[in-house]
Amino acid sequence: AYVNYTNIAVPAEYFDVSLITVNNGPIIASEFRPIRRADNSIWGYGAQLLLDEGAQVISHQDPNAGLSVTLYGFSNQMSWGCTGGTGLSPVAIPRVQCNDVTVIENVGNAIVQCERSGLVDESVSFTITTVDGTAMAGTDYTAVTAQTVTFASGQSTTTFSVSIINDFIPEQVERFTTSLIPNPNVIFTSNNPVVTIEDDDGITVEFSDPVYSTFESTGVLRAALVSSLPLSTAYQIRIRFSSGNATRNVDFTSTPLRLRFPAGVTRVNFTVPITVDGVFEGTESFNLRLDLTPGAEALRVREGDQNTAIGRIIDQDVTVSFERPTYSVNETDGPARPTLVLSN
């Protein structure tokens, strides 16, 4: 007589008879029955498997199920043998999933939560190492190398942390990865968790230059606003004007300017109308002042250091005049010789 039977056990979360195969064919098994924990909750399902003579590969189509083994059926007293694979008792290897997390730059530490299923009665550990992405170790976060993460006995959740560096430089969203180091004691059921850092410094908007100059004859002063990063949403900005030695609404148009800063760009050019009057006035100047409109706080837009600028109007008008108001000459000296001068 010979015995060609063995038992298999599959965790409840992976139990699907259609996914369990013998030699890539459907499994032939007796009725599956629940396998219960001490608290009577169902861990999984087990069945007695009839083995044919010869080598047979029993596997689960989901590699995370932990079921992959080669069995040998015999027609003699030795019954069956076994070799290779990860074994017939997946419950012995806990499954671990670690989740992505998004934090604000000034949070201090990014806390990554991990969960395990399967065997929770025993303590188990694994290690993690950080890997740069757009976020760089030493600049955006503190690197971690082979940090141990532990589930205590009976614990189904745990966390680990990575220190985030808070600077005062406006930046785009940055990311780095926490690599889960392969470990025979656990099966990772998630990808390496990604830590996303959102900047808390906001985007600065300011004048591109401290002084803008133009000749009066051009009729316009050309200037520009720049942002430290592209805006994610279009935004309205006001520019206000005040007199220097140039007179508002006489030498330049002082009506506040509403300027649309489109999304996705870092520079917007604008012009200020200048009055061409034909009167020589010398070089005159006026002041420009940035004024953020409501909604800036929600978009995390703030004024940069260069929030004011000066507009210079260089006059090219020409006047002719005597060099001196009075000229004197003796009658015996001959003709008087007054001098004319041009203003420009």
Side-chain angles (χ1 to χ4, degrees), residues 98 110-112 114 126 128 147 149 158-162 178 180 193:
C98 297
I111 308 298
V112 179
C114 300
F126 61 95
I128 64 104
Q147 175 178 314
V149 182
T158 190
T159 61
F160 64 85
S161 65
V162 180
T178 52
L180 307 175

Side-chain angles (χ1 to χ4, degrees), residues 202-203 231-235 295-301:
I203 297 175
L231 296 174
S232 59
T233 303
Y235 178 65
E297 184 176 352
L299 291 174
R300 296 196 304 178
V301 175

Side-chain angles (χ1 to χ4, degrees), residues 85-279:
T86 56
L88 288 174
S89 184
V91 70
I93 305 178
R95 279 115 184 109
V96 173
Q97 172 178 315
C98 297
N99 303 317
D100 297 343
V101 63
T102 298
V103 298
I104 301 299
E105 185 182 71
N106 64 1
V107 70
N109 292 301
I111 308 298
V112 179
Q113 180 168 302
C114 300
E115 304 169 354
R116 70 166 168 172
S117 57
L119 183 66
V120 297
D121 297 334
E122 299 179 3
S123 174
V124 66
S125 299
F126 61 95
T127 57
I128 64 104
T129 294
T130 53
V131 179
D132 285 349
T134 51
M136 308 298 290
T139 302
D140 302 303
Y141 71 96
T142 301
V144 170
T145 302
Q147 175 178 314
T148 300
V149 182
T150 300
F151 288 94
S153 177
Q155 186 180 28
S156 59
T157 62
T158 190
T159 61
F160 64 85
S161 65
V162 180
S163 177
I164 305 299
I165 297 174
N166 185 25
D167 57 31
F168 300 96
I169 303 171
E171 301 166 295
Q172 292 179 311
V173 172
E174 298 173 314
R175 296 177 175 85
F176 66 92
T177 301
T178 52
S179 179
L180 307 175
I181 307 303
N183 186 330
N185 297 319
V186 299
I187 295 175
F188 295 116
T189 60
S190 63
N191 294 324
N192 293 325
V194 175
V195 178
T196 300
I197 306 173
E198 294 183 348
D199 187 44
D200 66 332
D201 299 307
I203 297 175
T204 59
V205 176
E206 59 187 356
F207 291 104
S208 61
D209 297 283
V211 178
Y212 301 98
S213 298
T214 187
F215 291 109
E216 181 185 87
S217 58
T218 64
V220 294
L221 176 78
R222 302 183 188 280
L225 292 180
V226 293
S227 65
S228 56
L229 292 170
L231 296 174
S232 59
T233 303
Y235 178 65
Q236 295 286 338
I237 296 176
R238 281 191 297 255
I239 299 174
R240 298 186 183 277
F241 306 96
S242 61
S243 297
N245 61 343
T247 304
R248 57 189 301 174
N249 295 327
V250 174
D251 298 306
F252 66 97
T253 299
S254 65
T255 304
L257 176 65
R258 280 186 173 271
L259 187 65
R260 182 178 184 272
F261 213 120
V265 302
T266 58
R267 182 184 179 96
V268 173
N269 299 318
F270 66 93
T271 59
V272 181
I274 301 298
T275 304
V276 181
D277 55 19
V279 178

